[in-house]
Amino acid sequence: MLTLASEIEVLARFGRALADPIRCRLLLALREAPAHPSDLAEALGISRTRLSNHLACLRDCGLVVAVPVGRRTRYELADPRLGHALDDLRAAVVAVAADRTCADADKEGCC
């Protein structure tokens, strides 16, 4: 069983991964299907160097894995449950954003 400290560390790594819009887009793209770096760079409209740095971060966070395919490397989510987690998180964030029950939200800039 995971200890509380390791659970917090895992969540922090996931948060670091989601802290950058490009990494979010990468995770969502890989949620759809595994892909080669050249295809991901083209789909996201970024350089291969920039993509490589973001993929390295996601690998270090344990969220994606590199799978050798002949002379190329394909990237995919490290676990299929990550795709479900991304879907659940996105749905929860959208639901919370839509629920503006705070009467002072616009005036205070909160919620």
Side-chain angles (χ1 to χ4, degrees):
M1 182 193 288
L2 291 175
T3 65
L4 180 59
S6 64
E7 288 177 3
I8 290 170
E9 184 179 307
V10 168
L11 288 173
R13 282 196 330 250
F14 193 63
R16 272 194 305 277
L18 294 177
D20 185 274
I22 291 175
R23 289 194 295 271
C24 288
R25 291 172 58 204
L26 268 169
L27 288 169
L28 291 173
L30 293 173
R31 182 183 109 261
E32 295 299 321
H36 296 282
S38 58
D39 299 328
L40 289 166
E42 184 177 330
L44 274 67
I46 61 174
S47 71
R48 301 238 350 234
T49 302
R50 194 167 180 199
L51 176 80
S52 178
N53 291 333
H54 287 290
L55 286 171
C57 176
L58 292 174
R59 276 194 323 270
D60 291 344
C61 288
L63 299 177
V64 301
V65 293
V67 179
V69 180
R71 293 176 47 187
R72 298 179 72 194
T73 301
R74 182 185 72 222
Y75 283 85
E76 58 189 51
L77 294 178
D79 188 303
R81 291 175 290 189
L82 288 170
H84 299 293
L86 289 167
D87 290 339
D88 291 345
L89 182 60
R90 187 171 50 174
V93 168
V94 168
V96 168
D99 181 22
R100 297 186 47 117
T101 57
C102 177
D104 295 327
D106 292 327
K107 181 175 70 174
E108 298 294 327
C110 62
C111 308

